[in-house]
Amino acid sequence: TGVQTCALPIWLSEGLADVFSTVRIAERECYLGGELPPRVTTLSRDSWMPMEELLEATQGAVTQTGHRSAAMFYAQSWALTEMLAFSEEYGPRFRDVVTSAGSPASSAQELPKIYGKSLDRIAADLHGWITAHRSKPIRLPGVAANGVEFQTHAVRRFDLDSLLADLTMTAGKLDLAEALYGELAQAVPQDAEAWAAL
């Protein structure tokens, strides 16, 4: 009797990766969540994907899209995951969303059952979540250093996003890397490195 595992749908897998990229650990307090400026820029600039298309996307379909379409997929995946996990209205049922990943039914079928809302209503709530800037970091207890001395330095969000894009490209996820570099190039057009990477 081995342990049975199931792959998360790509929107949830990528959304969780983005959410956990916001983790900040310090001795006094830690943070999880909060806005990702490149993702918010993409969501405010371009037309959103239909919710059903987002929820039923496959890795292959995302890979075959252009970098702007891929950028929207990753931006919406982050926003939806963040809202479902952290909003007062949706958060209490987020465990059911993750658990339903093992179901043969698609997320497009499961989300309306879990929340008792149509996909159109969920999409409208998501637009409201983003336009009202409801995405706020959650404070968590700090992590004691246990006598280890270390120094911290402020790092620009752009530098962190650049590092994530570089790591993604090195890992061979070229479609995601292209989307990330595209967001960086749009956010800071004068930065030559993002354009060179593209």
Side-chain angles (χ1 to χ4, degrees):
T1 60
V3 176
Q4 190 174 15
T5 59
C6 62
L8 294 175
I10 184 173
W11 73 267
L12 182 55
S13 176
E14 297 297 343
L16 285 170
D18 266 357
V19 167
F20 283 108
S21 77
T22 64
V23 171
R24 300 292 175 265
I25 299 174
E27 191 167 356
R28 292 184 179 175
E29 55 191 357
C30 302
Y31 294 92
L32 170 64
E35 287 191 351
L36 293 176
R39 297 291 192 234
V40 174
T41 298
T42 297
L43 292 167
S44 63
R45 185 189 61 222
D46 298 330
S47 298
W48 289 30
M49 297 172 63
M51 186 64 73
E52 188 167 358
E53 184 181 335
L54 173 75
L55 297 175
E56 295 187 349
T58 63
Q59 182 69 59
V62 175
T63 302
Q64 291 170 9
T65 63
H67 87 265
R68 288 180 72 88
S69 298
M72 180 54 70
F73 169 81
Y74 292 115
Q76 271 185 255
S77 295
W78 159 73
L80 180 60
T81 302
E82 232 241 358
M83 182 186 77
L84 295 182
F86 298 140
S87 74
E88 290 184 10
E89 183 176 1
Y90 287 90
R93 302 298 305 274
F94 185 62
R95 181 185 295 269
D96 297 336
V97 174
V98 176
T99 303
S100 74
S103 165
S106 70
S107 296
Q109 296 169 312
E110 290 296 319
L111 286 186
K113 290 180 188 174
I114 292 170
Y115 291 108
K117 294 186 174 193
S118 68
L119 290 181
D120 287 343
R121 182 68 255 171
I122 295 171
D125 289 345
L126 184 59
H127 275 275
W129 175 263
I130 293 301
T131 55
H133 302 286
R134 296 195 189 119
S135 178
K136 306 293 181 193
I138 295 173
R139 281 184 172 180
L140 301 168
V143 177
N146 294 328
V148 177
E149 291 187 17
F150 59 90
Q151 293 181 340
T152 61
H153 300 279
V155 179
R156 293 184 312 157
R157 179 80 228 181
F158 181 83
D159 294 330
L160 291 173
D161 291 338
S162 295
L163 177 60
L164 179 60
D166 292 343
L167 289 171
T168 303
M169 182 169 65
T170 303
K173 291 188 170 184
L174 300 184
D175 59 317
L176 176 54
E178 184 179 13
L180 293 172
Y181 284 124
E183 289 180 355
L184 290 167
Q186 293 296 324
V188 186
Q190 67 273 22
D191 185 86
E193 290 187 15
W195 291 105
L198 278 172

